[in-house]
Amino acid sequence: MGSSNLSSRILVLGSTALSVLAFFLSGADALAGGPSVSIDLGSDAPKQTAVVVQILILLTVLSLAPALFIMVTSFTRIVIVLSFLRQALGAQAVPPNQVLLSLALFLTMFIMAPVGQAVYTGAIQPLMAEQISYDEAWKKGVEPVRGFMLRQVRERDLELFIDLGHLPKPEKAEQVPTHVIIPAFILSELRVAFQIGFLIYIPFLIVDMVVASVLMSMGMMMLPPVVISMPFKLVLFVLADGWYLVVGSMVRSFQ
């Protein structure tokens, strides 16, 4: 009885599978022989494709905008100097990262305001008024940014990337390609930021050394010097009006 029931179930499943397969095959034949549906895009199809490509390019540029904003502006130098300042003070979480980044962002906007105004009046405004093409807007818009980077970059850094790129030595600054100026500018910004950070570290390092020497002379070797030097460094920074000096020096370094 068990074997007969099993064989009958197998036959039922097989017949069901065959019927389903026949149904799909008949449907496919009907679709193959039936009427087809086509979509006519008309004569504006190339224009629509061009618009789609432009939108994709715009989205790509917008996704890379934060990195471009960081790399071609004063943001790199400012945020590194502020990070050095926080470490020199010994306050690892004060000010918090959000405050430092916000301060660096608004200082960057303040420093780059003339460059942004030149880009807007020379490229964006005429482009929105359909007075110039996209190529002309790009050329006119990138010139103020190139000028800002060239004023801050070292000739040695430019020569490095020109040699690495096996490019002929340009006679004028206008002949230097943009893809050479950007890495040279970043390298120069890192060098200047580390120099400023070293100068910021010196007075706080002196305070740490004095406090450590006093504790050693008093025989208080088990007491961490940071516990005592931290209030002295904060008082020194506040009395010297440290934020005024640091921010003012950084802004003047770009002028």
Side-chain angles (χ1 to χ4, degrees), residues 160-177:
L160 171 64
F161 286 98
I162 290 174
D163 294 338
L164 292 176
H166 304 288
L167 301 175
K169 189 174 182 180
E171 298 179 357
K172 299 180 181 179
E174 292 78 8
Q175 298 176 352
V176 181

Side-chain angles (χ1 to χ4, degrees), residues 120 122-134 136-137 140:
Y120 179 77
I124 298 177
Q125 203 170 23
L127 179 63
M128 295 176 63
E130 298 182 354
Q131 298 176 356
I132 58 177
S133 62
Y134 285 100
E136 294 177 354
K140 292 183 178 181

Side-chain angles (χ1 to χ4, degrees), residues 13 18 23 34 43 76-77 81 86 97 99 112 129 131 144 147 189 194 197 199 211 229:
L13 291 175
L18 289 175
F23 173 77
S43 60
T76 302
R77 183 189 303 186
V81 170
R86 184 172 64 179
N97 290 330
V99 175
M112 300 299 296
Q131 298 176 356
E189 289 295 287
F194 274 73
L199 296 176
V211 172
S229 64

